[in-house]
Amino acid sequence: MPRRICRSSLALFTKSAEQCLQRINGAPQRVLLLPPDITRAHSGAGWITNILYHFFAPSADVYVMPTLGQHVPHTPEQNQWMFGDIPESKILVHDWINDCKTLGTIPADYVKDISGGAADWEIPISINRLVLEGNWDIILNIGHVVPHEVLGFANHNKNYFIGLGGKDTICASHMAAACYGIENNLGSLVTPLRHCFNKAESEFLSHLPDTYIQVVMKYNEQGKLVHSGFYCGDDLDTYLLAAKQSKNENITIVPPLKKVIAVMQGDEFFSTWVANKAVYRTRKAMADDGELIIIGPGLKRFGEQDVVDKLIRKYGYAGTPRVLEQWKNNEDLKDLTHATAHLIHGSSEGRFKITYAPKYLTKEEVESIHYNYLDFEEAMELYPPDKLKNGFNILENGEEIYFISTPSAGLWTTREKLNQ
């Protein structure tokens, strides 16, 4: 597992589990733990899940379902790396295509009104049927609240509607968020899509015996990412309090940045589908005509699923006007609108350069999707991550760069672009 939990954190997680016994069910027979997937392993969610599993397991049948969304399932080795000694047989796999049950819809009129007309279609609400039909006595959502490109801040009921959502929900909601605008979403406490999900939770999931455990993280004085906030509860305030702390601690206000070097960890990020968090979290900080260089020691492909990988290779990150035009005229983009939204999110709209330095993708592959290419070994020599500190650095040749070791842990923006 990627990080250990300190004694004070362990006490908080244990107390939360004890409160579940007092407030939800005193003698649970079946418990479901819903942690994030491996792309948020740096949050310590794997250790938290392990602690909670062993708390309940002596007297209950406990299962873990990583909230994969449309991401690929973990391998047994990845599960062991993230969740430790939890038996593989106790880890359930979410299938966003085949395993979901439709509960209802968020009406098109509501979506249009709350998005200011940016989206005018209904959002079907479907989630994994095991959540609904598993006869659970306690359901515990575990996650990391951090700025997010679709919902303003990650976690809370995102676990259900994206992490365990069906294809219709994920596609309709991602496209609605993309049309509203990624830079309008980033760092906003309650985005239009969050409004929709809050409505859906209230109308369709209020009967679940569930609660949320949410952590906030920040860099300490030694430059290490550590837990700084802990929130447990079953209401919207649990999310809002955590999001407000994340807004204070995880958003870095900078002047327009001419050159940014970002590293996407090789044990968590294997495709541009997830590594593009480096684009999302820095785009509001990038200067016009600046350059974002993303070093990807684990990058092997563009999409996680083959069908999405093919779409990215076919259309590329060509900018919003071009992608929307293609969406209207091509059935493959209409069918997988979450991929269409991703192509919008991942474009700089021509305002700044995006350069990838992937270990396993070729120059021809990277340039074919409208990104620039830098050789991985050359990038490691020019910008050695182990010799750079987070923030501004002056290189030996006199060049000034801005280094970010974990882009997925925050948001960087100029003051002018900060969402209040």
Side-chain angles (χ1 to χ4, degrees), residues 81-329:
W81 179 78
M82 185 167 178
F83 300 118
D85 62 355
I86 297 176
E88 182 69 17
S89 61
K90 293 293 186 178
I91 301 178
L92 307 173
V93 177
H94 170 61
D95 182 341
W96 72 304
I97 302 294
N98 301 305
D99 288 351
C100 295
K101 179 179 180 178
T102 299
L103 301 174
T105 63
I106 302 300
D109 287 347
Y110 183 89
V111 176
K112 183 177 181 179
D113 181 60
I114 206 70
S115 68
D120 60 0
W121 52 86
E122 70 177 21
I123 297 179
I125 299 299
S126 62
I127 70 169
N128 193 292
R129 64 178 63 251
L130 281 177
V131 176
L132 306 166
E133 301 172 357
N135 296 317
W136 307 108
D137 297 307
I138 294 174
I139 299 174
L140 259 172
N141 284 276
I142 303 143
H144 178 198
V145 177
V146 65
H148 190 265
E149 52 277 3
V150 171
L151 283 162
F153 288 84
N155 205 235
H156 202 253
N157 52 33
K158 176 181 179 290
N159 260 23
Y160 288 129
F161 302 118
I162 299 296
L164 297 178
K167 177 185 174 184
D168 52 356
T169 302
I170 290 174
C171 286
S173 61
H174 274 70
M175 197 61 188
C179 289
Y180 183 71
I182 182 173
E183 294 191 11
N184 294 324
N185 293 319
L186 283 160
S188 294
L189 292 175
V190 183
T191 63
L193 187 57
R194 177 71 74 177
H195 273 292
C196 293
F197 285 171
N198 291 343
K199 179 177 173 66
E201 183 178 21
S202 175
E203 293 185 3
F204 304 128
L205 301 183
S206 60
H207 64 288
L208 292 180
D210 64 348
T211 196
Y212 296 93
I213 288 180
Q214 302 179 132
V215 297
V216 179
M217 306 185 78
K218 69 175 182 179
Y219 288 100
N220 64 12
E221 293 180 356
Q222 289 73 44
K224 294 183 178 180
L225 201 57
V226 297
H227 290 134
S228 59
F230 174 89
Y231 298 84
C232 181
D234 62 356
D235 58 6
L236 184 58
D237 282 344
T238 303
Y239 160 74
L240 287 172
L241 289 169
K244 287 176 181 177
Q245 180 177 345
S246 177
K247 186 164 188 144
N248 289 332
E249 294 182 350
N250 300 147
I251 296 180
T252 304
I253 299 174
V254 292
L257 301 175
K258 283 291 187 182
K259 193 165 205 176
V260 175
I261 312 299
V263 178
M264 301 307 289
Q265 289 72 23
D267 50 10
E268 295 183 39
F269 300 97
F270 307 103
S271 66
T272 58
W273 182 266
V274 288
N276 268 2
K277 287 183 184 295
V279 179
Y280 311 156
R281 307 299 175 79
T282 63
R283 61 184 306 128
K284 296 173 74 167
M286 295 302 304
D288 292 351
D289 299 321
E291 183 177 18
L292 168 64
I293 298 176
I294 306 167
I295 299 175
L299 285 179
K300 301 175 181 178
R301 53 194 294 126
F302 300 124
E304 292 195 304
Q305 298 93 0
D306 288 342
V307 64
V308 174
D309 189 79
K310 289 177 182 177
L311 282 181
I312 296 173
R313 291 175 185 271
K314 179 178 179 180
Y315 296 104
Y317 301 93
T320 297
R322 178 63 178 152
V323 171
L324 288 178
E325 178 185 348
Q326 293 167 330
W327 173 49
K328 294 175 182 177
N329 298 309

Side-chain angles (χ1 to χ4, degrees), residues 33 35 44 50 72 92 118 134 140 149 203 253 256 274 282 291 343 359 363 382 406 408 410 415:
L33 306 177
N50 185 279
V72 294
L92 307 173
L140 259 172
E149 52 277 3
E203 293 185 3
I253 299 174
V274 288
T282 63
E291 183 177 18
L343 293 177
K359 189 171 184 179
K363 181 176 187 291
L382 289 172
T406 314
S408 58
R415 188 169 298 280

Side-chain angles (χ1 to χ4, degrees), residues 363-376:
K363 181 176 187 291
E364 291 72 23
E365 287 177 302
V366 171
E367 291 182 345
S368 74
I369 61 165
H370 308 294
Y371 285 156
N372 297 293
Y373 175 85
L374 176 63
D375 178 77
F376 176 77

